[in-house]
Amino acid sequence: MGVKVVPKEQLADQVGTKSSSDWVTMDQDRINTFADCTEDHQFIHIDEERAAQTPFGGTIAHGFLSLSMLPKLSEGTGVVPENVVMGINYGLNKVRFLHPVRAGKRIRAHNELINVEQKDDNRFLLTSSVTVEIEDVETPALVAESLAMIVCG
């Protein structure tokens, strides 16, 4: 879909706009790197042989790795006002991890803009409902309500 740019006076009219990201592969290298960065080396993430003996049938991505992919999965999608200077991750209202992401699987995000709150002339708090889909898996990896502060020039 790409990013839809609108005059800031029309941003609130975009509530309900939906977009989807491209697919991103959650490969074992990405999982191992995340484990090293966070020092979370639980075997279900990094020990392929041992993880194969679990109900998961192999290694899985950390839930927080999947969550940390939201900025990447959201880039190039959605709605923004004209003259954006920067976007700031403002937090999350809700997050639920619904299904593990097996190493090697691809994920993508489906976003819906659910609220726009104008903070001042140049700052907008955007709330989006996000569902992270796992390719060929019915249950999503996660659902979240994500907040972004958009600053315009």
Side-chain angles (χ1 to χ4, degrees):
M1 170 186 156
V3 175
K4 181 177 181 181
V5 180
V6 299
K8 62 184 178 181
E9 299 80 21
Q10 296 175 17
L11 189 58
D13 298 335
Q14 302 304 309
V15 169
T17 299
K18 296 178 181 180
S19 60
S20 296
S21 73
D22 292 332
W23 291 101
V24 172
T25 301
M26 297 292 271
D27 60 34
Q28 191 63 51
D29 286 341
R30 185 186 302 266
I31 295 168
N32 292 344
T33 299
F34 189 84
D36 289 342
C37 288
T38 60
E39 298 184 19
D40 181 354
H41 294 99
Q42 187 176 167
F43 79 93
I44 61 173
H45 304 304
I46 61 169
D47 187 332
E48 295 177 60
E49 186 175 306
R50 199 167 157 205
Q53 305 307 311
T54 70
F56 300 125
T59 56
I60 59 171
H62 305 70
F64 284 116
L65 169 55
S66 298
L67 183 64
S68 75
M69 295 299 295
L70 292 186
K72 171 64 179 167
L73 294 171
S74 296
E75 84 183 4
T77 67
V79 180
V80 295
E82 294 174 327
N83 303 314
V84 170
V85 173
M86 66 181 154
I88 303 165
N89 178 1
Y90 202 73
L92 302 156
N93 286 336
K94 303 176 198 176
V95 178
R96 292 293 181 268
F97 300 108
L98 303 176
H99 196 283
V101 179
R102 286 280 311 272
K105 283 289 195 177
R106 296 190 322 159
I107 61 171
R108 69 177 169 185
H110 301 285
N111 296 286
E112 180 179 358
L113 182 61
I114 59 173
N115 191 50
V116 173
E117 183 179 343
Q118 187 165 357
K119 295 295 192 176
D120 60 31
D121 283 346
N122 294 313
R123 294 183 310 131
F124 298 85
L125 181 61
L126 277 53
T127 305
S128 297
S129 174
V130 183
T131 301
V132 175
E133 174 188 9
I134 307 166
E135 190 173 34
D136 301 322
V137 177
E138 187 173 329
T139 304
L142 67 90
V143 293
E145 196 170 279
S146 179
L147 306 172
M149 181 67 70
I150 305 299
V151 180
C152 302

